[in-house]
Amino acid sequence: NFIKAGQADSALVIGAETFTRLLDWNDRTTCVLFGDGAGAVVLKAADGQGTAADRGILSTHLHSDGRHYNMLMVDGGPSATKTTGHVHMKGREVFRHAVVNLADTVREALEANAVSIDQVDWLVPHQANKRILDSTAEKLAIDPAKVVVTVDQHANTSAASIPLALNQAVTDGRIK
């Protein structure tokens, strides 16, 4: 969610999930992976020099492909079945898709901003699962110690995972 009031130069970005309502607790392929969580980040506009040395959001790279909806989906919803439904996932396919696309998107952002992977202090990715994060770090040839990992503490909280990971890295002093 992105909230910006009038011409204010601040934005509140909120991510919140209650996945436990959607889990089939008899399906061990999904129920052990997802969790509930909420996080928020305040973004403030600031003048910069327009160089890669500026701090802040230098570019955004968002990709979505609805053709793969059945790899990770919920089989219900109030308008479709009048139930909340359950999460279903094709784990192997999701893993491959996530590693390839996360690595490609990081490379795209680096290239767009003339930044090398060696110049990255911290990579704060969506916290899907530790194996995906490890494999992505390997594919990018980035030191795994530079990847902020919190999925082991609160599972995959979907939209909340990046705000929660940012909070942890700021709280423990990694991100200044």
Side-chain angles (χ1 to χ4, degrees):
N1 297 332
F2 185 75
I3 301 168
K4 184 169 180 176
Q7 294 300 312
D9 57 4
S10 297
L12 177 62
V13 181
I14 301 168
E17 297 288 349
T18 52
F19 253 103
T20 54
R21 296 183 313 178
L22 303 173
L23 296 175
D24 174 353
W25 293 99
N26 296 311
D27 179 2
R28 300 281 301 158
T29 66
T30 58
C31 73
V32 298
L33 300 176
F34 296 96
D36 297 343
V41 177
V42 176
L43 300 175
K44 291 182 165 248
D47 291 330
Q49 305 304 312
T51 68
D54 281 349
R55 295 172 186 246
I57 298 172
L58 302 178
S59 63
T60 59
H61 304 271
L62 303 172
H63 299 276
S64 179
D65 190 341
R67 294 175 299 169
H68 303 293
Y69 76 93
N70 63 345
M71 286 196 309
L72 179 57
M73 61 173 279
V74 176
D75 66 353
S79 63
T81 64
K82 310 249 187 292
T83 68
T84 55
H86 290 111
V87 172
H88 296 277
M89 181 173 65
K90 296 177 181 173
R92 195 168 291 151
E93 290 91 339
V94 169
F95 177 85
R96 277 194 299 268
H97 187 80
V99 171
V100 168
N101 288 290
L102 178 55
D104 285 351
T105 304
V106 169
R107 284 190 201 103
E108 179 184 0
L110 293 170
E111 185 177 315
N113 294 286
V115 174
S116 73
I117 197 71
D118 318 350
Q119 295 173 285
V120 172
D121 293 326
W122 299 107
L123 178 61
V124 187
H126 165 57
Q127 303 289 306
N129 93 23
K130 179 95 166 64
R131 285 182 42 244
I132 289 172
L133 300 179
D134 291 344
S135 295
T136 300
E138 184 178 331
K139 197 168 185 64
L140 290 169
I142 187 172
D143 179 353
K146 289 183 167 188
V147 180
V148 175
V149 177
T150 59
V151 67
D152 54 343
Q153 298 168 37
H154 49 68
N156 179 345
T157 57
S158 195
S161 74
I162 291 176
L164 289 170
L166 278 169
N167 178 67
Q168 180 61 46
V170 169
T171 300
D172 66 25
R174 285 179 281 178
I175 294 179
K176 308 288 187 247

